[in-house]
Every structure is written in C-alpha cells, then in structure tokens.
Amino acid sequence: MDKVKEILALAKKYLFWIILGVVLLTTVVAWYLGTSEAAEQFKKRKAEISAKEKEVSDVVAKADHPNQDSIKSIVEKQDALKSKVLAAWMKLYEEQRERNPWPSFLGEDFLKEVNKKGPNDEIDIHFRERYQNAIEEIVPLIDALGNIRQTSSTDGGVGAGLGPAQTKTAVPPKPTPQPKTTFPGKTSPKTTPRPESAEPSVLEDKGLVEWDPANKASLVSKLKWTTRPSTKRVRLTQEDIWVYRSLLQVIANANEGVTERRNAAVKKILLLDIGAAATKDWAAAENKVFSGQSVATPADATGAAATTGGAEGGASADADIIASRYVDDKGTPISADAAGTAPEFKMMPICMRLVADQRKIPKLLAECANRAMPIEVKRVRLSPDAGGTVISLSSTPDAGAAAAAGQTPTTKTGDAKEAETLDVTVEILGVIFIYNPPDKEKLGGAKGADSASQAPPADAATPAPAN
C-alpha cells in the first residue's frame, strides 16, 4: 500500500511531463498513419491520372477515333447495309420462286393451295395423292427443256420407258418442232437436225442431247411411288425437279442457237447427280472438291425406297431423300433437317458429267454462274475416267490440249469430223444455292442457324429453287 502511495505521489509530481509524453506519442502515431494513407492515395491517384493521360494520348494518335457520334454513324450504316442485303435476299428469293413454279398440270386448286402455305405447312392428303399420280408427266417437259434425244432401239433398249415412244423409220425425218414447255425462261431450239444416216434397227430420234438412260432412271425413279408420299417427300421431290431443271437449262443455254447436233456445245449427258449422289461423286474426285477439305462419303440412301417411295409416317420413311441432301461451307454432308451454314440459303451438291466441245466449256461454266439461283463450280475435270485432273480451260484449245486432256486426235477431215476431235468428257462439281424465305430477324445469322425451320413472311409462298 505504501508503494502505491509513493507511485501516485510521484505521478502527481510529474503529471505534466507524463501528459506531454502521451500527447507527443499520440501525435507521432497519428502523423505516421496519416502520411501513410496520404501516400497510398497519392500513388492511386497518380496511376489513375497516368491511365487517363495514356487514353488521351491514344485518342490523339489514332485517326478517326470512335466517339458517340461516330458510333451512331456506324450503326446507321450497318442498318442501311442490312436493309440492302435483305432487299437483295428478297429479290433473289422472289426471282427463284417466279422462275420455278409448281407444275401447272397439277391443277389450279393445287397451285392455289400450295402457294399460300409456308414451306413447313402440311399439304392435304388428296393433293399429295394427285401429285403422286401426276408428277411423272414432268419428264417430257424436262426433256423438252434440255432438248433431249428420244432414241429407242427395236429391241426395247436404250431409251425404253424414258420418253415418248417413237415410230420406226428407214428414211431420215425432216426437222421436227419441239413440244412447247410450261417452264418460263429461255426455250430450246425450235427444230432438231435431220440425222445423217438412219439404221434400220434404230427408231426415229429427236433432240440435240443424249442422256444416259441409266442415269436418267435415277430421276424417273424419284417420281414413282407405291404409297402416298408425305408432305416432306412431295416438297423435296419438287425441289429435286427444280434443280434438275436448272442443270438442264445450263445445257440448253450452252446449246442455244444450234440446230445440228454436231455443232452442239453439249452432245451427251453421262451423269446428272444431285444431293447425296453428287456428294459421292465429290468423294470419288480425290476428296478435294473444297480446297483443303475432305469430303465425307454419305451412307447409301438410294435403295428400294428411292424407286418405290417411302410410306407416309415420319422421318424414317423419308430417310432416302433427307440424308446428306445438302452440304455446309466445308463440304460436309448434312441432312435436310440439319442446321445449315446460313439462314439465307441451303447448298445442294451437284455433279454434271458431259460430252462437250472443249472450245465451248467456258460458255458452259458461264451459264452455271448466270442462273437466277447460281451454281458455284468447285471443280472441273476433263476426261475424269481416264484420270484427268483439274486443268486451265482455254477458249481456243487445239489438238495438243485435247491430247493433254486424255483425248486422241484423229486425222479425220471435214467439219463434222473435226468437231468430233474436240469433244471431251467434262465433269463439273459444285453447289447450287437454294434460297430460303426472307426473314429479317435471321438476316446475317451465325453459322448453325436452322434454315429449315424458318417461317416465310405472311405474303410469301412456298420456296422454290431458281434456275
């Protein structure tokens, strides 16, 4: 107790100095803390100012740096560009729809019904039955469009069942007018040439272009069904007809103005394949139709179902016409129900193998590009069966070019003989673009947009590929 009293007495005696020490200590601590915080704030502000200074320097150094006004201007220009693209899309779609009507022989009520519906709307049963029963009538019209020769032998051979029956004659017939076609656009030459000779065993023939019967049968088989077709099969089969028509229009235009077969640009069709069948042709062409890309070979979907027609009852019944029908931008086969590369169009592979005058191949390729719905040629080969590869085409090939293409020039003389030496087998591989109904919401959509599920505008009719 005495010790405590002594300490208190001592503290009382030196109270002033004790308080002064505490104050000084507190002041030092406060000063230290304050200066530390100020230093941190100074450092932070300095960094912020430096960053702003750099931004300003970047703006000054960069020409036409975006600001609110420039951003607004860019958006306005993008909107204007989108409007132009949409207008072009609508024009192309309307053009293809106008040039590819449904066959008029199906009846006005059929045309009225199908044209007022969207591409995914169901077609009534009785209209599908009518389509099933009448669609084979399209074959003579397609033949007339391509000026296809209707040749048959007395033993029921090469042309049997693929065209109008001809009558036997031993005398060369006079040029005969071709039947008119309901297809709009350019027409084939009005007359066909008088044959230079007539074999007793050959029936009368007409037209400029021969079509290999076995290959033509692939088209005819798509039009023969033993059961009522589904809506999807009707729509996709009609799309096939439009695509075949477009390919034949290319040939007809290349032969425009020709009245004698020996002068025709295209004399024979060895092969016209579309869809899955064309993709197989791509795979056979060294797997390099698309530069740097391999083309997968689709499974064979063209069995009995292709000749008898799938029974109505779902996707499985239509598998042969849906599978590997289109390709994406890499050349990979996709089905009719799969998402495409872009919502604006679908890409269907095509393959044409023709016997043509090599001097007129450039015109043939130009006709591919000049379709309302263009054909983009990916690969051209001369004499593919002889191992020919992609070559540079010349508008004035000579015998040396023919030899390089695998052809053996002959010593025949005369115009007809000379023309024969310039005939080569040419294979054209490419894609044909089928435009979808315009949809502003899907304009410029990213890859993978489902083009098959698009609905057309209220006033849009069923889409059709253009020639």
Side-chain angles (χ1 to χ4, degrees):
M1 191 66 181
D2 293 338
K3 288 289 185 183
V4 174
K5 289 181 178 181
E6 289 179 4
I7 293 172
L8 290 176
L10 187 61
K12 184 176 180 182
K13 181 178 179 180
Y14 297 103
L15 180 61
F16 171 78
W17 298 108
I18 293 174
I19 293 174
L20 181 60
V22 171
V23 170
L24 289 175
L25 181 60
T26 303
T27 302
V28 171
V29 171
W31 173 83
Y32 176 79
L33 295 176
T35 54
S36 297
E37 182 178 356
E40 185 66 28
Q41 290 180 354
F42 174 81
K43 183 178 180 181
K44 181 179 179 181
R45 289 292 295 158
K46 182 179 179 180
E48 292 175 354
I49 293 173
S50 297
K52 293 294 183 182
E53 182 179 10
K54 185 177 184 304
E55 289 181 10
V56 173
S57 299
D58 291 343
V59 170
V60 172
K62 189 174 183 179
D64 300 325
H65 189 279
N67 52 42
Q68 291 303 318
D69 291 337
S70 63
I71 291 174
K72 180 180 178 182
S73 177
I74 291 173
V75 170
E76 290 175 351
K77 290 181 178 180
Q78 286 179 335
D79 290 342
L81 182 60
K82 283 185 177 181
S83 297
K84 291 181 180 179
V85 173
L86 180 61
W89 184 5
M90 294 178 67
K91 179 180 180 181
L92 291 170
Y93 172 76
E94 290 298 330
E95 208 170 84
Q96 73 171 20
R97 187 178 66 176
E98 178 183 351
R99 297 193 182 190
N100 292 287
W102 289 75
S104 58
F105 56 73
L106 293 171
E108 291 186 7
D109 56 339
F110 181 100
L111 301 180
K112 182 178 179 180
E113 178 70 14
V114 78
N115 284 331
K116 74 179 182 180
K117 291 188 173 183
N120 299 314
D121 292 340
E122 188 72 12
I123 298 176
D124 294 340
I125 291 178
H126 65 284
F127 286 131
R128 282 185 273 137
E129 289 177 342
R130 184 187 304 180
Y131 190 93
Q132 174 188 1
N133 295 329
I135 194 55
E136 285 187 76
E137 296 179 25
I138 200 71
V139 175
L141 298 179
I142 289 178
D143 286 344
L145 176 70
N147 206 354
I148 304 300
R149 292 167 66 89
Q150 305 297 327
T151 304
S152 299
S153 62
T154 52
D155 59 1
V158 295
L162 297 183
Q166 307 297 333
T167 58
K168 184 175 181 179
T169 177
V171 180
K174 295 181 179 180
T176 306
Q178 290 293 311
K180 293 184 178 180
T181 174
T182 57
F183 292 136
K186 296 181 180 179
T187 57
S188 55
K190 295 182 180 179
T191 60
T192 52
R194 176 196 299 263
E196 295 182 3
S197 63
E199 297 288 340
S201 61
V202 177
L203 301 186
E204 178 182 346
D205 60 353
K206 301 177 181 179
L208 292 175
V209 183
E210 294 182 24
W211 189 348
D212 181 77
N215 183 253
K216 184 177 179 182
S218 65
L219 167 60
V220 177
S221 67
K222 296 178 181 180
L223 311 179
K224 295 181 178 180
W225 302 320
T226 58
T227 56
R228 182 174 59 241
S230 66
T231 293
K232 183 179 289 291
R233 178 171 289 273
V234 168
R235 292 191 184 279
L236 295 183
T237 298
Q238 186 59 42
E239 185 178 87
D240 285 348
I241 291 172
W242 285 321
V243 172
Y244 274 111
R245 174 181 175 270
S246 184
L247 300 182
L248 288 170
Q249 187 71 64
V250 168
I251 296 171
N253 288 357
N255 286 336
E256 186 176 14
V258 176
T259 57
E260 295 186 0
R261 186 168 182 268
R262 65 182 181 179
N263 296 326
V266 177
K267 297 180 176 63
K268 186 173 183 178
I269 300 171
L270 301 176
L271 181 145
L272 285 186
D273 279 348
I274 66 175
T279 307
K280 292 180 180 180
D281 300 326
W282 284 15
E286 300 179 16
N287 286 332
K288 293 181 181 178
V289 176
F290 279 72
S291 178
Q293 298 291 335
S294 294
V295 179
T297 304
D300 188 358
T302 57
T307 57
T308 61
E312 185 177 2
S316 59
D318 299 323
D320 61 297
I321 199 170
I322 292 175
S324 302
R325 182 175 181 82
Y326 308 114
V327 294
D328 60 18
D329 59 338
K330 302 299 183 184
T332 303
I334 59 176
S335 74
D337 295 329
T341 298
E344 293 86 357
F345 53 80
K346 300 182 287 286
M347 297 191 297
M348 177 183 286
I350 62 97
C351 177
M352 295 190 288
R353 192 173 297 156
L354 314 168
V355 175
D357 185 332
Q358 59 182 298
R359 296 170 299 180
K360 300 177 182 179
I361 289 176
K363 180 179 180 181
L364 185 66
L365 298 179
E367 289 297 335
C368 290
N370 288 339
R371 304 275 52 79
M373 182 206 56
I375 300 169
E376 182 179 351
V377 176
K378 295 289 186 180
R379 187 179 183 89
V380 178
R381 295 197 301 169
L382 296 190
S383 303
D385 293 334
T389 57
V390 179
I391 65 168
S392 298
L393 299 178
S394 172
S395 59
T396 57
D398 54 16
Q407 306 298 314
T408 304
T410 67
T411 57
K412 298 177 182 178
T413 58
D415 293 342
K417 306 300 184 181
E418 182 180 356
E420 290 179 11
T421 67
L422 295 172
D423 289 343
V424 297
T425 300
V426 57
E427 182 181 75
I428 299 174
L429 300 163
V431 293
I432 188 167
F433 290 84
I434 303 171
Y435 296 104
N436 295 313
D439 187 341
K440 186 176 181 179
E441 297 300 321
K442 295 183 178 180
L443 180 65
K447 178 181 176 181
D450 187 358
S451 57
S453 64
Q454 295 180 77
D459 59 345
T462 304
N467 65 337

